[in-house]
Amino acid sequence: MSADGPGTRSTSAGEFEEKVKELHQRKGRNLAMGGPERIAKQHERGKLTARERIDLLFDPGSFVEFGLLAHQQSMRGNEIDPPEKTPADGVVTGHGLIDGRQVWVIAYDFTVMAGSMGAVGEAFKTSRVRELAMRYRKPIVWLLDSAGARIQEAAGSTFAGSGMLFYDQVQMSGVVPQVSAMLGPCAAGTAYIPGLSDFVPMVKGTSSMSLGGARLVKAATGEDVTDHDMGGSQVHCYESGVGDNEVDNDQECIAQVRRFLSYLPSSNLEPPPWVPTEDPSDRDVEGLDELVPANPRQAYDVRKVIRRIADQGGPAGEGLRPAAGRGDSLHSNSSWFEVKPSWAKNLVVGFCRMAGHAVGVVANQPLFKGGILDVDAADKAARFIRLCDAFNVPLLYLMDVPGFLVGSGVEKEGIIRHGAKMLYATSEATVPKITVVMRKAYGAGYFVMCGKGYYPDLIVAWPFAEISVMGPEGAVNIIFNKVVEAAENPAETRAQLVERIRETISPYVAAGWAMIDDVIDPADTRRVIIQGLEQARDKKVERPWRKHGNIPV
Amino acid sequence: MTEVKAELVGNVWKVVAAPGDKVEEDDILVILESMKMEIPVVAPRAGTVKEIRVKETDVVKEGQVLAVLE
């Protein structure tokens, strides 16, 4: 300030400074969250604070906060804590950049009233984020660490006006990517936030989600169970399939969020980002002969095949460990990113890049349950296929499927209904679809893995592929049952008949009819897939108008 | 003690490990056959095989204990 200005100005300047000082004080107070003690406690639990998480999530210095000055308000004239007790009303919101692209964030602050969802936070702050993310068509990330609804504000029938967050999420579905990072508890209705999200990584040990928290469950049903035992990552990433990837800590969880979003566009109106690669498009895929047994009965790890086919290098793994389970040290630097690696392991889904373009991979996994399709595998595939189709990510089907599991057990589980989801999703998808029949392609398994009838843009087979309604043994049992029974030496007769049928199961039969586009040397697989993706780059499919189809759920 | 269970219904194609064998994690204990596939059942951890509760050609149900490690 100029010292020689008119006196009135100098007074005004004093006020000016005062007001600005107050602003900084108010902001500083709220930036301090729940205070040093509660922050220390958060760290003791092995968790980062909401603001530390946001720093990890966004490119350095890019976070812009909305609603920092918010705090709890009095509802219905009841007593409330003074404003300084509820900085930002327990939720940090705003936007920032991930790999240079705008993303919106809602981060619950457990150091303020256990991250509980208050009226200000919910009705004004988080709704503002949802509104703007949709207005600009940008992804939204929830960093969840919250005790749930703030009962002292929510109890009573003003509940009648709540709940629109899930409605908003449904409107956002398929328009912008939605991610829920599970970094702490997420109890009661709020568990539907991850339930409606496209990707849900969970931190082992500290995170949990359940429709009712432990205390509510005890009161409602008498069951004695902890939040962790009821809804930890060991439940949701291994048994229920609600969670996607189990991770060890907050850092890894947030690295996974960044990685997941790197394969998707900001919205359904854009193509996914292209990432330059040094990996030649025409590179031979080496070592498949050692990896994949030509005997179709024998198991192998299909993830190793994917890593060899996919682009090597690309954006660093940001400290990510290889996908859970058996690693593949040879190509650990692959662009492959597996989703739901520990649930329904008989089917593998995830993203990779081919010639720099994002691709969604759906692969049968002979290593687990022989790669058979069951209810969970069908659900996992259907959900992933729809995610890719919604966000313009081409699909690669790597087929080695003995079919759908049959029997009384799976019928009770509704295998027809669940299998129909996969049929539906594959039929519905209009993104480029490339099918490689590696080995087995039996029965309806061939259909749901994008067989000829599902309009793949390219369908090719490896030389030992077996495409058939069923295996030769099963076929002989049905066609030649009486012949075998009447034979002098049934075992020998059966073996001869099996061989006779087996000769008719050959990729050259299908290729001879031009039902598949080619039979290829497995070493050419990468080149062929990339050519197929290029060929279909301008694909546009018009469908007759309808409100929406009716996917079996 | 760790019970190793069948992940799906099938029959026992081969019994690979025997009681008393020392095994590493992921070593194959039993191979099931189901839906035309050989399905290896592996040790979830290193240990010693205490029991093998099935023999070849047995039909097993999902969740049935095939082997016990200690």
Side-chain angles (χ1 to χ4, degrees):
Chain A
M1 287 297 132
S2 166
D4 54 5
T8 50
R9 206 144 144 226
S10 142
T11 310
S12 149
E15 265 181 45
F16 190 112
E17 269 175 34
E18 196 71 15
K19 295 285 183 198
V20 171
K21 203 173 142 200
E22 185 199 343
L23 168 68
H24 288 301
Q25 271 170 356
R26 283 173 178 266
K27 287 196 167 176
R29 197 170 64 202
N30 280 9
L31 285 169
M33 299 178 280
E37 263 175 51
R38 291 217 176 83
I39 289 173
K41 217 165 175 191
Q42 176 83 349
H43 289 154
E44 271 167 38
R45 291 192 180 102
K47 301 195 290 186
L48 298 176
T49 65
R51 293 180 187 281
E52 287 166 340
R53 288 164 178 164
I54 285 173
D55 283 346
L56 284 175
L57 179 67
F58 289 136
D59 300 346
S62 67
F63 177 53
V64 177
E65 184 159 0
F66 277 45
L68 170 61
L69 295 169
H71 56 82
Q72 190 183 25
Q73 301 292 334
S74 171
M75 303 261 298
R76 305 182 299 275
N78 54 351
E79 287 262 316
I80 60 153
D81 290 322
E84 58 269 25
K85 294 274 187 188
T86 52
D89 203 32
V91 60
V92 183
T93 57
H95 61 85
L97 302 176
I98 293 182
D99 295 331
R101 296 187 298 163
Q102 188 182 103
V103 172
W104 288 77
V105 70
I106 295 172
Y108 289 94
D109 180 356
F110 201 80
T111 68
V112 176
M113 299 186 87
S116 59
M117 294 163 171
V120 172
E122 283 314 295
F124 294 94
K125 292 188 66 176
T126 68
S127 59
R128 181 76 169 146
V129 169
R130 296 193 300 273
E131 172 199 344
L132 293 177
M134 269 300 256
R135 190 179 295 172
Y136 311 133
R137 301 280 197 272
K138 303 297 179 193
I140 183 165
V141 173
W142 283 266
L143 304 179
L144 287 159
D145 187 5
S146 164
R150 197 175 293 161
I151 303 299
Q152 45 276 57
E153 290 174 32
S157 286
T158 53
F159 180 70
S162 67
M164 65 282 284
L165 78 159
F166 306 126
Y167 180 92
D168 288 354
Q169 273 193 274
V170 174
Q171 308 315 309
M172 285 189 269
S173 176
V175 179
V176 297
Q178 301 180 62
V179 175
S180 284
M182 307 304 295
L183 302 151
C186 181
T190 45
Y192 281 124
I193 297 175
L196 289 166
S197 291
D198 298 310
F199 182 56
V200 185
M202 291 189 80
V203 179
K204 190 178 179 174
T206 51
S207 76
S208 65
M209 53 177 151
S210 56
L211 281 192
R215 270 193 289 177
L216 188 140
V217 166
K218 177 73 181 158
T221 69
E223 185 189 358
D224 249 324
V225 66
T226 64
D227 283 333
H228 176 265
D229 288 352
M230 179 166 46
S233 58
Q234 82 288 352
V235 171
H236 290 306
C237 297
Y238 292 82
E239 292 186 58
S240 77
V242 179
D244 284 315
N245 297 24
E246 182 187 59
V247 294
D248 285 332
N249 51 47
D250 286 15
Q251 287 86 346
E252 202 184 326
C253 191
I254 287 163
Q256 287 228 344
V257 174
R258 289 181 58 100
R259 179 98 188 250
F260 175 81
L261 289 174
S262 78
Y263 296 95
L264 295 179
S266 292
S267 80
N268 62 334
L269 300 175
E270 297 174 12
W274 179 74
V275 176
T277 177
E278 308 268 290
D279 196 3
S281 297
D282 58 357
R283 163 172 66 81
D284 278 0
V285 186
E286 283 166 13
L288 288 177
D289 51 338
E290 287 163 19
L291 218 120
V292 183
N295 176 355
R297 288 170 51 87
Q298 287 172 0
Y300 61 94
D301 189 346
V302 76
R303 293 174 300 190
K304 295 183 180 177
V305 176
I306 300 168
R307 287 200 193 100
R308 279 166 167 76
I309 293 173
D311 285 358
Q312 308 303 318
E318 300 182 60
L320 288 180
R321 62 187 175 186
R326 294 146 217 244
D328 180 10
S329 55
L330 184 59
H331 286 311
S332 55
N333 190 28
S334 168
S335 61
W336 167 239
F337 177 67
E338 190 174 356
V339 176
K340 284 195 199 304
S342 47
W343 184 70
K345 293 196 285 187
N346 38 330
L347 182 118
V348 167
V349 299
F351 298 100
C352 70
R353 291 191 182 83
M354 303 284 283
H357 294 283
V359 175
V361 181
V362 180
N364 308 112
Q365 172 59 298
L367 191 61
F368 297 103
K369 295 188 180 179
I372 293 159
L373 293 168
D374 55 11
V375 295
D376 286 348
D379 274 16
K380 179 179 177 177
R383 176 104 176 124
F384 183 76
I385 290 164
R386 300 189 96 217
L387 172 70
C388 292
D389 189 47
F391 291 111
N392 312 316
V393 178
L395 287 161
L396 169 62
Y397 291 83
L398 296 176
M399 195 180 333
D400 190 354
V401 61
F404 277 93
L405 189 56
V406 294
S408 61
V410 285
E411 293 304 338
K412 283 180 190 155
E413 290 169 7
I415 186 74
I416 298 171
R417 179 165 58 84
H418 292 282
K421 296 182 201 182
M422 197 171 167
L423 272 179
Y424 200 105
T426 291
S427 307
E428 186 185 44
T430 58
V431 290
K433 296 184 280 195
I434 310 292
T435 304
V436 179
V437 185
M438 299 189 299
R439 298 196 312 181
K440 297 174 305 303
Y442 283 119
Y446 169 70
F447 299 160
V448 295
M449 288 297 290
C450 204
K452 174 71 171 173
Y454 295 79
Y455 294 85
D457 292 277
L458 178 70
I459 178 168
V460 296
W462 286 359
F464 32 84
E466 298 185 352
I467 306 172
S468 176
V469 67
M470 64 173 67
E473 292 84 359
V476 166
N477 285 349
I478 291 171
I479 307 168
F480 298 114
N481 191 21
K482 285 186 179 151
V483 178
V484 170
E485 274 177 12
E488 275 183 32
N489 186 339
E492 195 179 304
T493 305
R494 176 192 301 274
Q496 283 168 357
L497 290 167
V498 164
E499 275 319 300
R500 219 170 91 193
I501 300 273
R502 196 183 298 282
E503 282 165 23
T504 69
I505 298 177
S506 148
Y508 299 109
V509 173
W513 278 87
M515 288 170 173
I516 60 173
D517 297 314
D518 205 0
V519 179
I520 64 165
D521 180 341
D524 289 336
T525 303
R526 173 175 162 83
R527 180 177 61 75
V528 168
I529 293 168
I530 290 173
Q531 282 173 344
L533 293 168
E534 272 317 309
Q535 158 207 318
R537 188 71 56 205
D538 297 328
K539 182 176 183 183
K540 195 164 167 57
V541 177
E542 302 284 351
R543 293 268 164 84
W545 185 90
R546 59 177 165 185
K547 188 174 174 190
H548 57 67
N550 186 13
I551 189 168
V553 290
Chain B
M1 282 232 296
T2 306
E3 291 183 331
V4 183
K5 295 174 180 170
E7 280 191 323
L8 77 174
V9 59
N11 52 65
V12 179
W13 174 249
K14 274 190 186 111
V15 175
V16 178
D21 284 2
K22 294 238 184 296
V23 292
E24 296 297 321
E25 183 179 340
D26 286 345
D27 278 359
I28 296 173
L29 304 175
V30 172
I31 302 174
L32 300 180
E33 185 194 34
S34 183
M35 301 285 297
K36 306 174 286 286
M37 285 297 292
E38 292 169 22
I39 297 168
V41 178
V42 300
R45 61 170 178 85
T48 306
V49 179
K50 185 162 183 270
E51 281 179 72
I52 297 282
R53 291 202 190 158
V54 290
K55 58 182 195 306
E56 283 166 18
T57 74
D58 278 2
V59 175
V60 296
K61 289 185 192 149
E62 184 182 337
Q64 184 174 334
V65 177
L66 306 175
V68 180
L69 296 184
E70 65 177 2

